[in-house]
Amino acid sequence: LLHSGYPTNSGTGLQLPVTDSLVVDGSIYLTGYGLRGANGAGSGYGARGEAYDATGTSVVAGSTGDAGASYGGLAQGGSNAAYGVLENPAHFGSGGSGCNNGGNGGGLATISAGVLNLTGNIQANGTTGGNCAYGGGAGGGSGGGIRIACGKITGTGYIYAYGGNGTNQAPTAGGGGRVAIYYADIAGFDQTHITVRGGLTRTGSAGTIYLKDSADSFGSLITDNDNYGSGIFTPLATSLDTINHID
C-alpha cells in the first residue's frame, strides 16, 4: 500500500481512517514518495533538492552542495532547515542535493483505527543519493512522517522513518523523519521497533518519536539515533507547553 509521489500527491500523503480493526501484515511502503531529490530524481530546483520552508507551508529549494535533507532530524553540510512539529507529523520528507540523483524524502501516512495489529511494517524512509560519473555523489533524502491514532496497537511489526544514506564520504546522509502515536493501549507492541535514525555516511541526526497515552496529560519524546553518532543535534520543534519526559 502506498501513495503517489510528489507532486502528483501534493502533500496529503496516505490517509487511512479505519473505524474498527486494521491489520498490516505486509508493508505500507512510502519510502522515497516524498519531496524529490536533485537533478535526475526530478527536483524542480536542479542540483538542489526540494524542501519545505521553515514554516512548513511552501515547497522551496532545499539542500545545497551534495548535502542530505532535513525534516525531524538534521543533515550535515548545507542542508535545509528542520520543519514541522514533533507532535503532528504532517509533511513529506525533503530531497537531497548533488550532482546526480539526490535521495527522495519519505512519504506521509496518517492512520486511525480502533485496533492496529501491525505484524508487517510501515515505512516512510528517505532514499540514498546517487553516484556521479566523476566520483562525486548526492545527499540522502530525509525520513518522512507517520501519525497513528488508535485505541490499541499490537503486533511484532516495525515503523520506520529514517534518513537516506549519502553515497560516499563527501555527500551527507538525510536526517530522520517524524513519528507520533496516540493510543490507549500499547502494551502489546515493542516500542523499540520504531526507528527514526538519520541516514549513514556522514550520518544525519535522529528524527522525533512522540508517544501519547490517552490516560496521561502529557506525552513523551524519543530521539534515538540507534547508537550512530552524527555530531549534530535534533531540533525539538513543538507547539506543546509540556512533555512528560525525553529519552
Side-chain angles (χ1 to χ4, degrees):
L1 186 62
L2 49 79
H3 63 67
S4 299
Y6 180 85
T8 302
N9 187 310
S10 61
T12 55
L14 174 68
Q15 299 188 26
L16 194 58
V18 177
T19 303
D20 295 317
S21 295
L22 173 63
V23 177
V24 179
D25 56 8
S27 181
I28 295 178
Y29 186 84
L30 308 177
T31 291
Y33 282 87
L35 299 185
R36 299 171 296 183
N39 288 319
S43 172
Y45 301 98
R48 300 180 67 175
E50 295 171 337
Y52 291 97
D53 62 13
T55 67
T57 56
S58 300
V59 175
V60 298
S63 300
T64 62
D66 299 347
S70 303
Y71 177 17
L74 297 175
Q76 300 187 45
S79 187
N80 60 292
Y83 51 90
V85 291
L86 59 89
E87 69 272 17
N88 185 32
H91 298 88
F92 293 146
S94 294
S97 64
C99 61
N100 200 339
N101 300 359
N104 288 342
L108 171 66
T110 305
I111 299 169
S112 60
V115 177
L116 172 60
N117 183 2
L118 178 62
T119 57
N121 63 78
I122 302 170
Q123 58 173 290
N125 304 321
T127 59
T128 298
N131 288 308
C132 296
Y134 60 80
S142 59
I146 300 171
R147 186 186 194 279
I148 298 172
C150 59
K152 183 177 183 178
I153 177 169
T154 65
T156 57
Y158 291 81
I159 298 170
Y160 305 115
Y162 56 76
N165 297 338
T167 49
N168 54 48
Q169 293 304 312
T172 68
R178 297 194 188 279
V179 173
I181 303 178
Y182 294 80
Y183 60 89
D185 182 357
I186 202 171
F189 182 76
D190 187 344
Q191 297 174 39
T192 66
H193 287 192
I194 308 169
T195 302
V196 292
R197 65 163 173 80
L200 308 181
T201 306
R202 298 185 68 191
T203 304
S205 69
T208 57
I209 302 169
Y210 180 70
L211 303 174
K212 173 66 169 65
D213 189 324
S214 60
D216 295 334
S217 299
F218 310 112
S220 59
L221 173 66
I222 301 170
T223 57
D224 184 354
N225 219 28
D226 288 358
N227 294 319
Y228 292 101
S230 68
I232 49 177
F233 66 97
T234 297
L236 303 184
T238 182
S239 60
L240 300 172
D241 293 326
T242 305
I243 293 175
N244 191 33
H245 64 270
I246 299 175
D247 292 330

